[in-house]
């Protein structure tokens, strides 16, 4: 049993503050429900019973930006939707991360025309890009785990308050 | 980057009632990001307390410019974009495109390809109805239905992946037939599905159909009569739930559907509960069609032999000079269709999916227009939602079964 | 199918002076813009209850006619389909609305205004539907550019990267 072994007889565990904070942030990171198009269906499949994302802490998808810390932009972002996306990103409290899921969110994908923003990093800063059209649920979970590694390597000096 | 525009009541005064301008009713935004709108749909609701007085949909948040983008690509390369329109019915979109191009250039398709197309299209219809059932039951707070439906869907996605390598955007059905023949494990996998799924549908019925909560929330809500449906251009299960038995698979058959024996379920009430029952019965009929098509599956080639339009197999290119030249011409230049315009329609899980395709003699489609069913089905939403509660509005939106990729293209 | 549609075609040819043509089994009639409302009303009385599609084609740089507006009608009781084509000139393109006859023409005509710039006289609510409300231009016209962004290869990666508007927080 995990934490009892570490505690030993004294009931005291030593760790660094950054490790403790990273543990708490990664074990219950709640994504915001931001499924736009086809990638949203694969995100829903990743949430469902077969490829379960709640094993990684993402038990619920919060529709409200004020209660979530991760925004998975799943699907193509049009020029009409871009200001809405930015406003929702601004409403999320710090610390927040963005995963750009799929080819259309990462670079414009198959669609290179007047209506699609060529890559959501023109609108919000992105932490992890997951490629695929649509990416398999396993690819999305791999992207989430890479984000966890990035969070665990974050130093406090980098986080703005 | 442009800012979000603020809309005031004055801009919309031709659409809202008098009371909104006086300030008696509230104009509320059920925004593009909302868990119950099934995608990026924005509804402006004029509310009197909890009752909806007017509902004004605002679409276009997923407009991808697919029609203009397809004009810049050859016929073979434009098919890739057709999957991404109605992303729940990807195989059906490919089928519609392939049938339209075959009608335009008058191409023949072998019988084995027709049967496999029917099997995949009906499995895709089943998968699309599963997602509809899961998400609309989730809106009515039956959370476990979501997990059951997505579990079933994994079996169907495994079959798609076995045939084409991709779970959703397969591009397996191409003009002239299929991309390649189905692998040997296909028949066993589909028979396994046919054995397991009828019992699963019985489970869903046991959970929802006579549930008093379900009846309270859906019976008598969102009624639409048959003539109103036709006036709004509504097709598909919504039209059949209002009493009019119009199904393109039976009335204007394509792809060999006339050889299969299946029922077209209709009900007379036209409310949300009737649409639920119609779609559930369609799921059973889809399994019946797959059973018949699999039993009668003929042997033979899966691609047309007309080398002017359909590329040859890769194994022939090494041995035959004509095959190499045809392959080269088709992949660099594309085939040229003669001048003319056609309209061809198939029955998607949402209604009539039609393509208007016009050619000017060149290798690229001069104008392609997709008549998508959700665009017209959504127009009936304001008429259905006058005087209902906001909670009923959520149930009604779920029953229309819109897919925003279909609405906005 | 051809037999049943013959009497309807003859009636329309006589009353509205339409020209009939056929391609790959589809019948289509060419009408002029003033007669379209009366023709649609007549078709609805004859049994064509469903307006399946309403779209347009741009034949730029041909100026007269620049657009062809296409009405696709379906009859459920008679199991027939019929296409109507209306040529519209390029300068100030406009047509009378049929949204009082078929209610789904409401949004479809708004889409044609948005994408092609064809005005529909008498429409209750003609504003943009798919593009943002302050967009300029009509995207599906042939003289509107596709808006293509150059793909980044290794030789031009840096210069395109510097031009792209990345978001900084």
């Amino acid at each position: 049993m995990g934490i009892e072994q570490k505690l030993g007889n004294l009931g005291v565990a030593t760790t660094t503050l950054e490790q403790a904070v990273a543990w708490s942030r990664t074990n219950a990171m709640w994504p915001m429900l931001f499924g736009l198009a086809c990638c949203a269906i694969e995100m829903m499949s990743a949430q469902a019973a077969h490829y379960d994302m709640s094993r990684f802490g993402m038990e619920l998808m919060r529709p409200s930006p004020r209660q979530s810390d991760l925004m998975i932009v799943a699907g193509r972002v049009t020029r009409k939707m871009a200001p809405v996306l930015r406003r929702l990103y601004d409403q999320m409290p710090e610390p927040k991360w963005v995963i750009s899921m799929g080819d259309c969110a990462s670079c414009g994908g198959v669609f290179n025309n007047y209506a699609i923003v060529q890559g959501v990093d023109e609108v919000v800063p992105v932490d992890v890009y997951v490629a695929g059209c649509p990416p398999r649920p396993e690819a999305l979970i791999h992207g989430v785990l890479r984000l966890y590694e990035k969070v665990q390597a974050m130093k406090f000096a980098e986080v703005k308050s | 980057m442009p800012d979000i525009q603020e809309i005031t009541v004055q801009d919309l005064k031709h659409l809202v009632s008098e009371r909104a301008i006086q300030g008696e009713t509230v104009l509320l935004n059920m925004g593009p990001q909302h868990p119950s709108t099934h995608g990026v749909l924005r509804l402006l609701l004029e509310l009197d307390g909890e009752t909806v007085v007017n509902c004004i949909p605002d679409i276009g948040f997923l407009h991808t410019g697919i029609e203009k983008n397809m004009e810049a690509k050859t016929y073979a390369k434009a098919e890739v974009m057709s999957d991404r329109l109605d992303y729940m019915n990807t195989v059906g979109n490919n089928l519609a495109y392939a049938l339209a191009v075959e009608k335009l250039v008058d191409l023949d398709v072998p019988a084995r390809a027709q049967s496999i197309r029917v099997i995949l299209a009906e499995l895709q219809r089943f998968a699309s109805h599963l997602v509809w059932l899961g998400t609309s039951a989730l809106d009515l707070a039956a959370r476990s239905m979501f997990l059951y439906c997505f579990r079933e869907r994994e079996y169907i996605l495994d079959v798609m992946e076995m045939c084409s390598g991709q779970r959703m955007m397969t591009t397996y059905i191409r003009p002239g037939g299929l991309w390649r023949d189905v692998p040997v494990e296909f028949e066993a996998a589909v028979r396994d599905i046919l054995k397991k799924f009828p019992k699963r549908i019985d489970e869903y019925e046991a959970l929802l159909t006579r549930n008093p909560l379900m009846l309270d929330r859906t019976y008598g809500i969102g009624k639409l009569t048959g003539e109103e449906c036709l006036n709004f251009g509504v097709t598909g299960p919504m039209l059949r739930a209002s009493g009019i038995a119009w199904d393109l698979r039976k009335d204007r058959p394509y792809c060999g559907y006339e050889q299969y024996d299946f029922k077209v379920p209709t009900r007379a009430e036209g409310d949300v509960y009737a649409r639920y029952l119609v779609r559930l019965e369609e799921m059973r009929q889809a399994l019946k069609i797959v059973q018949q098509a699999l039993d009668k599956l003929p042997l033979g080639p899966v691609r047309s032999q007309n080398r002017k339009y359909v590329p040859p197999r890769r194994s022939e290119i090494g041995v035959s000079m004509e095959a190499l030249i045809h392959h080269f011409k088709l992949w660099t230049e594309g085939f040229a269709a003669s001048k003319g315009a056609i309209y061809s329609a198939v029955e998607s899980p949402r209604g009539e999916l039609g393509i208007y395709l016009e050619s000017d003699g060149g290798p690229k489609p001069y104008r392609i227009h997709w008549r998508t069913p959700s665009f017209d089905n959504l127009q009936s939403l304001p008429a259905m939602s006058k005087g209902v509660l906001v909670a009923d509005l959520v149930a009604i939106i779920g029953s229309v079964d819109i897919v925003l990729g279909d609405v906005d293209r | 199918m051809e037999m049943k549609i013959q009497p309807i075609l003859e009636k329309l040819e006589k009353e509205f002076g339409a020209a009939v043509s056929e391609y790959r089994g589809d019948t289509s009639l060419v009408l002029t813009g003033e007669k379209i409302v009366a023709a649609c009303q007549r078709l609805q009385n004859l049994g064509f209850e469903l307006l399946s599609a309403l779209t347009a084609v741009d034949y730029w740089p041909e100026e007269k006619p620049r657009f062809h507006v296409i009405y696709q009608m379906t009859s459920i009781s008679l199991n027939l389909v019929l296409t109507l084509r209306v040529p519209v000139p390029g300068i100030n393109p406009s047509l009378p609305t049929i949204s009082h006859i078929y209610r789904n023409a409401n949004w479809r005509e708004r889409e044609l205004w948005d994408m092609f710039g064809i005005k529909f006289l008498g429409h209750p609510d003609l504003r943009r539907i798919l593009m943002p409300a302050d967009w300029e231009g009509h995207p599906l016209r042939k003289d509107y550019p596709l808006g293509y962004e150059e793909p980044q290869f290794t030789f031009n990666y840096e210069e395109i990267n510097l031009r792209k508007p990345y978001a900084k927080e």
Side-chain angles (χ1 to χ4, degrees):
Chain A
M1 309 238 273
I3 202 160
E4 277 83 355
Q5 274 176 341
K6 214 169 187 301
L7 287 180
N9 282 334
L10 293 175
V12 169
T14 56
T15 176
T16 66
L17 186 61
E18 279 164 356
Q19 271 186 345
V21 167
W23 172 82
S24 70
R25 277 179 185 161
T26 56
N27 275 34
M29 192 181 275
W30 287 354
M32 183 165 82
L33 201 75
F34 207 74
L36 296 168
C38 352
C39 284
I41 311 293
E42 288 294 48
M43 188 168 71
M44 291 201 287
S45 288
Q47 188 76 29
H50 199 104
Y51 306 100
D52 198 4
M53 276 221 292
S54 50
R55 326 175 243 173
F56 303 106
M58 304 201 167
E59 172 67 37
L60 321 145
M61 291 234 167
R62 281 300 187 200
S64 162
R66 307 257 186 221
Q67 297 170 4
S68 56
D69 14 37
L70 172 66
M71 180 149 112
I72 304 184
V73 183
R76 42 194 191 250
V77 182
T78 59
R79 300 220 179 263
K80 196 167 177 181
M81 189 68 190
V84 178
L85 179 70
R86 181 73 212 186
R87 185 181 260 197
L88 286 168
Y89 177 75
D90 290 333
Q91 284 178 343
M92 281 166 73
E94 290 279 350
K96 53 191 173 189
W97 296 277
V98 176
I99 288 185
S100 144
M101 175 183 178
D103 284 342
C104 293
S106 309
C107 66
V110 198
F111 305 108
N112 195 349
N113 55 23
Y114 60 91
I116 296 283
V117 171
Q118 299 295 310
V120 82
D121 45 16
E122 288 185 17
V123 180
V124 293
V126 175
D127 291 294
V128 174
Y129 299 86
V130 181
C133 191
R136 282 192 68 118
E138 293 135 327
L140 178 63
I141 295 177
H142 179 71
V144 166
L145 291 177
R146 292 286 227 143
L147 180 69
Y148 285 174
E149 286 171 27
K150 184 173 177 176
V151 170
Q152 275 156 0
M154 244 164 104
K155 304 268 175 260
F156 278 162
E158 291 167 7
V159 177
K160 313 153 294 301
S161 52
Chain B
M1 171 185 353
D3 254 335
I4 301 185
Q5 297 169 298
E6 311 282 340
I7 294 195
T8 62
V9 176
Q10 292 304 320
D11 296 336
L12 298 170
K13 61 176 180 302
H14 53 287
L15 291 171
V16 298
S17 69
E18 285 288 312
R19 300 158 68 192
I21 306 182
Q22 288 158 5
E24 242 184 80
T25 54
V26 170
L27 207 62
L28 188 73
N29 185 31
M30 198 161 156
Q33 192 255 352
H34 193 277
S36 311
T37 53
H38 297 279
V40 278
L41 169 68
R42 179 179 183 212
L43 293 174
L44 286 153
L45 301 174
E46 188 195 338
L47 293 175
D48 177 15
E50 189 81 13
T51 330
V52 174
V53 176
N54 257 316
C55 159
I56 303 163
D58 184 15
I59 60 175
F61 288 94
L62 204 60
H63 173 67
T64 329
I66 289 186
E67 295 180 0
K68 193 167 176 90
N69 216 340
M70 276 186 164
E71 287 173 18
K73 300 187 180 238
T74 59
Y75 285 101
K77 296 186 184 175
E79 186 178 358
V80 165
M81 305 196 132
S82 66
D83 296 273
R84 279 117 183 125
L85 275 169
D86 174 359
Y87 37 86
M88 292 324 311
N89 180 33
T90 57
V91 170
N93 290 351
N94 287 338
L95 177 62
Y97 183 79
L99 288 174
V101 173
E102 283 157 15
K103 186 171 176 182
L104 184 69
V105 301
D106 211 8
L107 196 56
D108 63 299
V109 181
R112 184 176 169 87
Q114 301 277 41
S115 298
I116 298 179
R117 282 179 176 185
V118 166
I119 295 176
L120 290 175
E122 290 303 312
L123 283 177
Q124 185 70 52
R125 184 183 311 267
F126 194 94
S128 166
H129 282 328
L130 278 174
V131 173
W132 161 78
L133 187 59
T135 49
S136 61
L138 187 66
D139 285 343
L140 299 176
R143 287 193 73 118
S144 48
M145 282 304 294
F146 175 75
L147 297 172
Y148 291 153
C149 291
F150 272 74
R151 172 193 66 182
E152 257 61 280
R153 197 160 170 264
E154 292 294 328
Y155 288 107
I156 299 182
L157 292 178
D158 279 343
V159 169
M160 300 290 177
E161 191 175 0
M162 186 191 297
C163 292
S164 67
Q166 247 272 26
R167 281 154 57 105
M168 278 167 70
M169 318 297 180
T170 56
T171 327
Y172 185 65
I173 296 181
R174 303 191 180 180
L178 305 172
W179 170 47
R180 63 170 192 185
D181 207 347
V182 289
V184 283
E185 305 96 17
F186 177 76
E187 177 162 352
V190 177
R191 286 212 191 273
D192 187 43
I193 288 180
L194 289 171
K195 210 168 51 168
K196 285 198 186 127
F197 277 25
K199 286 198 282 288
R200 303 275 169 94
I201 306 183
D202 290 335
E203 270 177 31
Y204 305 151
E205 290 233 17
L207 200 60
L208 284 179
T209 307
R210 298 245 282 267
N211 193 334
L213 293 170
M214 176 85 175
L215 285 169
D216 261 341
R217 286 205 68 172
T218 58
Y219 193 74
I221 309 281
K223 272 194 198 277
L224 213 56
T225 64
E227 286 101 52
E228 278 180 346
C229 276
L230 287 176
N231 213 349
F232 276 115
V234 169
T235 48
M238 277 183 81
L239 182 65
R240 293 195 279 278
S242 300
I244 301 193
W246 174 250
D247 186 338
L248 287 172
R249 295 174 290 168
K250 269 257 194 270
D251 298 309
R252 302 188 68 85
Y254 53 91
C255 213
Y257 267 103
E258 54 270 1
Q259 348 161 356
Y260 306 118
D261 166 44
F262 61 99
K263 277 205 305 274
V264 170
T266 13
R267 298 198 67 95
E269 302 94 40
D271 57 3
V272 173
Y273 190 64
R275 291 171 203 149
Y276 159 78
L277 290 174
V278 164
R279 287 195 179 106
L280 216 56
E281 184 60 35
E282 274 189 13
M283 281 158 75
R284 290 192 201 276
Q285 296 298 317
L287 290 178
K288 197 166 159 197
I289 300 177
V290 172
Q291 174 90 47
Q292 291 170 47
L294 198 60
D295 289 336
K296 293 192 220 167
L297 195 62
L299 295 167
V302 289
R303 272 191 191 174
S304 158
Q305 302 297 322
N306 189 343
R307 292 284 166 254
K308 293 281 171 276
Y309 300 108
V310 178
R313 299 177 56 162
R314 296 300 292 247
S315 46
E316 282 174 40
I317 294 180
V319 279
S320 152
M321 193 60 189
E322 288 86 17
L324 183 63
I325 297 176
H326 280 133
H327 174 96
F328 181 74
K329 280 206 74 94
L330 282 170
W331 287 121
T332 54
E333 212 179 76
F335 57 84
S338 52
K339 223 168 132 110
I342 53 113
Y343 178 80
S344 130
V346 304
E347 178 84 15
S348 93
R350 276 151 204 89
E352 174 183 338
L353 175 64
I355 299 181
Y356 172 79
L357 185 54
E358 174 158 347
S359 154
D360 64 339
K364 303 184 181 172
Y366 188 72
R367 169 82 173 115
I368 179 165
H369 171 73
W370 292 78
R371 186 269 181 208
T372 46
S374 306
F375 191 76
D376 291 298
N377 289 2
L378 194 55
Q379 286 195 54
S380 62
L381 187 66
M384 276 199 282
S385 59
K386 288 216 175 341
V388 298
L389 300 173
V390 176
D392 294 332
L393 184 68
V394 164
I396 295 176
I397 297 176
S399 80
V400 176
D401 194 11
I402 46 170
V403 167
L404 265 297
D406 224 14
V407 174
D408 290 339
R409 269 164 280 127
Chain C
M1 199 84 56
E2 271 306 303
M3 297 290 110
K4 272 197 294 183
I5 205 170
Q6 281 297 99
I8 300 180
L9 290 176
E10 279 162 23
K11 280 197 200 111
L12 289 171
E13 264 181 298
K14 234 184 8 212
E15 292 169 33
F16 301 106
V20 180
S21 66
E22 200 194 315
Y23 186 71
R24 305 259 190 251
D26 280 354
T27 0
S28 67
L29 292 170
V30 181
L31 290 176
T32 52
E34 310 92 41
K35 308 215 179 92
I36 190 67
V37 179
C40 286
Q41 188 67 60
R42 186 87 173 94
L43 277 174
Q44 202 182 39
N45 297 342
L46 283 172
F48 281 81
E49 312 96 338
L50 186 61
L51 174 70
S52 279
L54 174 52
T55 178
V57 191
D58 183 10
Y59 290 107
W60 187 76
E62 240 182 79
E63 270 299 323
K64 268 184 151 355
R66 179 162 174 192
F67 301 107
H68 265 204
V69 177
I70 302 188
Y71 296 76
Q72 182 75 27
M73 311 294 212
T74 306
S75 166
I76 293 187
S77 40
L78 306 167
N79 201 343
L80 293 171
V81 292
L82 182 60
T83 317
L84 301 174
R85 296 179 83 102
V86 179
V88 177
I91 327 252
N92 287 342
S94 66
L95 273 184
T97 182
I98 59 167
S99 50
H100 51 281
I101 310 177
Y102 293 105
R103 284 172 58 187
N104 60 337
N106 193 326
W107 278 16
R108 295 225 168 250
E109 289 173 354
R110 274 177 73 184
E111 187 196 337
L112 285 189
W113 159 244
D114 192 3
M115 294 282 125
F116 286 95
I118 301 179
K119 267 200 152 59
F120 283 89
L121 312 163
H123 194 275
D125 181 27
L126 198 65
R127 54 197 166 100
R128 285 199 182 258
I129 188 170
L130 292 175
M131 304 304 297
D134 54 355
W135 194 265
E136 274 159 30
H138 298 281
L140 273 173
R141 290 190 171 190
K142 292 279 179 186
D143 48 351
Y144 191 92
L146 184 56
Y148 190 78
E149 185 199 58
E150 226 181 306
Q152 293 171 304
F153 298 105
T154 38
F155 61 90
N156 58 0
Y157 185 81
E158 273 311 313
E159 51 174 291
I160 297 184
N161 215 15
L162 293 169
R163 271 189 279 144
K164 262 178 87 88
Y166 285 117
K168 298 165 189 43
E169 298 316 294

